[in-house]
Amino acid sequence: MPSLIQKIEAKTARVVVIGIGYVGLPLVAEFARAGFRVTGLDKDAEKVRLLNSGESYIADVPICDIAPHVKSGLLDATSNAAVLTEADAVIVCVPTPLNKTRDPDMRFIVGAAEEIARYQHDGMLVILESTTYPGTTTEVLVPKLTERGAVLGSTVFIAFSPERVDPGNLVYKTKNTPKVLGGASPECLHVASALYSHILDKIVPVSSTETAEMVKLLENTFRAVNIGLVNEIAMMSRKLNVDPFEVIRAAGTKPFGFMPFFPGPGLGGHCIPIDPLYLSWKLRTLQYQARFIELADSINSAMPGYVVERTSEALNDHGKAVRGSKILIYGAAYKRDVSDSRESPAFAIIHGLKKRGALVSYMDPYIPELNEDGVALKAIDRGTHFGSFDVVVIVADHSALDRDRLMREAELIVDTRDALREYSGNRQKVYGL
Ligand SMILES: NC(=O)c1ccc[n+]([C@@H]2O[C@H](COP(=O)([O-])OP(=O)(O)OC[C@H]3O[C@@H](n4cnc5c(N)ncnc54)[C@H](O)[C@@H]3O)[C@@H](O)[C@H]2O)c1
């Protein structure tokens, strides 16, 4: 019988990806493109149905990356975990949210580990891709998958490799983004590298799974802290009557030693607001306070409130109160040109404005309705006259926003993204962050 490494080299290894969301779907598409027989295992019956009918439900993954492989029989999806019995390689891409007390919610990783253990057989490779605290692979996966006698690096191979998917990025996709990989033993790293070398241009091996876990948290903490810094620069600049975006763009001309980050209405998405808190939580268990992370979190979390303040100020300058004003939120997504509203600052801004008595609507070409976090709204038509609102607040600066029309029609604008910098017209009515 061929060994696992032989099967991987011959591309006869059967791959199962647990969780076919933003991270898992591009991954199954890459494995199928490379010629592997791959199955997406997901509890979400709708995702399974769509994938099996050759459709994509994630904007970054075009149908042409899915449909031909479903047709050829290389790619399919299921909700039945028994498919793991046939798996040679299992890649775990399940969510890692926070719970109500903002601590790591490990339910999905633990659940996936238990399912794999239930169908485990000799010669299995398991790679965790979900972002999590350093130590998860050795503390959760390794004990679970060796408790019934499997030998690490011999009959079971375990690794961690953080995903670096950047939704909406037109240049860097799964294949051409270098991938950090740490094995639970040298043999585990060797087998996992052999698999990934079929689908990725560059692998960056590191010495342990903890290192690989920490790499991801450094990357996202770096972003969260720098965004926290420029958000505070924005608030300080306004007090000094200086335009923070102009300051940052000018500083960005320095060809060395400076990297521009831009302020905004608050963090959003599945990664930057959440992942650093996995690290600070882990450090708390070691009696260490992750001060940069906590400070950045407190500044970034306060930004939606600051946007509410700026909007009140803008209305007040024009002789209006927030109470009773008609306010349009443009863009409910957490960032430009994506249809993802998870953790979007739009929710807190809508809550804050409503609490002050505003009549809030939203427009977003990618998100037809909002129904989470206590906000239930349907998007208004994209052609609605901007002048029918007392103020328009730009939260996500989608490319689809007709900026000329907005400048012409709107009475007052709060531009939290500096989306109108290049647009002429009455600048007096545009309030920056
Ligand atoms: N979205 C991103 O841009 C991004 C980027 C880098 C890293 N990550 C990390 O990758 C991980 C996955 O994120 P995502 O955005 O793809 O999440 P997602 O919510 O889009 O997809 C996760 C999927 O896992 C499924 N699932 C959960 N438990 C399951 C189980 N036991 N069996 C089968 N299916 C199960 C869910 O139904 C869901 O479809 C997270 O840890 C996240 O932090 C995400």
Side-chain angles (χ1 to χ4, degrees):
M1 213 167 95
S3 68
L4 176 58
I5 196 88
Q6 285 167 332
K7 286 191 211 171
I8 289 172
E9 274 160 12
K11 296 192 192 174
T12 55
R14 182 86 156 73
V15 179
V16 172
V17 173
I18 305 185
I20 43 172
Y22 288 89
V23 168
L25 188 67
L27 204 58
V28 290
E30 285 304 335
F31 276 112
R33 195 210 306 262
F36 282 88
R37 172 84 178 85
V38 55
T39 298
L41 169 62
D42 204 298
K43 289 188 186 309
D44 182 338
E46 184 58 6
K47 285 191 183 117
V48 168
R49 185 189 71 74
L50 286 168
L51 200 148
N52 280 333
S53 47
E55 286 177 46
S56 172
Y57 39 84
I58 288 184
D60 286 343
V61 183
I63 285 186
C64 61
D65 282 358
I66 301 283
H69 304 306
V70 172
K71 207 166 164 210
S72 73
L74 273 182
L75 172 58
D76 68 355
T78 181
S79 289
N80 184 355
V83 70
L84 292 165
T85 319
E86 299 159 33
D88 297 302
V90 182
I91 301 169
V92 181
C93 306
V94 296
T96 43
L98 297 173
N99 61 25
K100 283 209 168 86
T101 54
R102 290 175 60 82
D103 290 334
D105 179 352
M106 299 299 288
R107 266 179 308 151
F108 300 99
I109 290 185
V110 170
E114 280 166 358
E115 266 157 23
I116 299 167
R118 192 161 153 223
Y119 296 100
Q120 192 178 348
H121 52 80
D122 280 355
M124 236 179 170
L125 165 66
V126 177
I127 306 176
L128 178 61
E129 292 220 356
S130 302
T131 307
T132 182
Y133 61 83
T136 304
T137 309
T138 48
E139 290 163 18
V140 179
L141 276 191
V142 172
K144 191 82 222 154
L145 300 179
T146 52
E147 71 186 3
R148 283 183 297 162
V151 180
L152 191 65
S154 167
T155 55
V156 65
F157 302 86
I158 301 173
F160 180 85
S161 182
E163 183 44 62
R164 286 171 160 169
V165 163
D166 179 22
N169 193 319
L170 300 176
V171 178
Y172 288 105
K173 307 279 180 192
T174 301
K175 189 175 186 330
N176 64 350
T177 305
K179 196 137 168 66
V180 171
L181 180 60
S185 74
E187 299 76 20
C188 297
L189 176 61
H190 175 65
V191 174
S193 298
L195 181 72
Y196 276 159
S197 62
H198 284 291
I199 62 157
L200 299 164
D201 294 346
K202 186 172 166 59
I203 294 165
V204 183
V206 293
S207 60
S208 65
T209 53
E210 286 81 0
T211 305
E213 289 158 342
M214 188 68 170
V215 168
K216 175 71 184 178
L217 295 179
L218 167 62
E219 290 169 6
N220 285 357
T221 300
F222 174 82
R223 286 190 60 76
V225 167
N226 278 289
I227 294 169
L229 171 66
V230 290
N231 278 337
E232 190 169 49
I233 291 284
M235 292 184 281
M236 295 192 296
S237 299
R238 285 294 161 209
K239 286 193 182 297
L240 299 166
N241 278 326
V242 173
D243 175 352
F245 288 94
E246 189 184 3
V247 170
I248 295 165
R249 280 183 214 287
T253 60
K254 186 178 177 191
F256 44 85
F258 185 82
M259 182 187 278
F261 279 79
F262 291 94
L267 296 180
H270 197 303
C271 291
I272 312 297
I274 294 173
D275 300 347
L277 302 182
Y278 268 67
L279 184 55
S280 55
W281 172 84
K282 177 68 185 177
L283 269 303
R284 268 206 309 280
T285 70
L286 303 172
Q287 281 79 49
Y288 184 91
Q289 192 193 355
R291 287 159 292 172
F292 270 111
I293 294 176
E294 288 175 9
L295 180 59
D297 182 47
S298 91
I299 292 174
N300 292 332
S301 309
M303 289 312 286
Y306 180 68
V307 174
V308 171
E309 276 306 319
R310 283 292 283 165
T311 307
S312 313
E313 206 179 310
L315 284 166
N316 188 56
D317 288 353
H318 287 74
K320 291 181 180 173
V322 176
R323 183 164 301 280
S325 282
K326 288 171 77 182
I327 299 182
L328 176 68
I329 301 296
Y330 181 87
Y334 77 89
K335 72 172 183 178
R336 180 193 305 162
D337 295 345
V338 301
S339 58
D340 191 349
S341 64
R342 289 181 299 177
E343 309 284 326
S344 170
F347 294 106
I349 295 170
I350 292 172
H351 274 303
L353 292 169
K354 279 189 156 181
K355 211 169 151 199
R356 294 187 182 201
L359 307 165
V360 185
S361 312
Y362 89 98
M363 185 190 285
D364 192 312
Y366 303 112
I367 302 177
E369 59 185 295
L370 294 178
N371 198 354
E372 58 184 279
D373 238 358
V375 174
L377 287 174
K378 281 197 187 328
I380 61 160
D381 189 273
R382 313 169 51 164
T384 308
H385 196 276
F386 290 119
S388 49
F389 300 92
D390 295 294
V391 58
V392 178
V393 182
I394 301 176
V395 173
D397 52 340
H398 295 311
S399 314
L401 170 62
D402 184 341
R403 288 150 166 84
D404 284 312
R405 181 167 79 84
L406 177 64
M407 281 300 280
R408 261 195 330 273
E409 294 178 356
E411 287 189 17
L412 192 57
I413 303 165
V414 175
D415 179 6
T416 70
R417 300 283 188 178
D418 203 29
L420 302 174
R421 172 164 299 273
E422 310 291 331
Y423 290 79
S424 53
N426 175 9
R427 305 291 315 175
Q428 299 301 318
K429 67 181 181 183
V430 183
Y431 280 63
L433 196 64

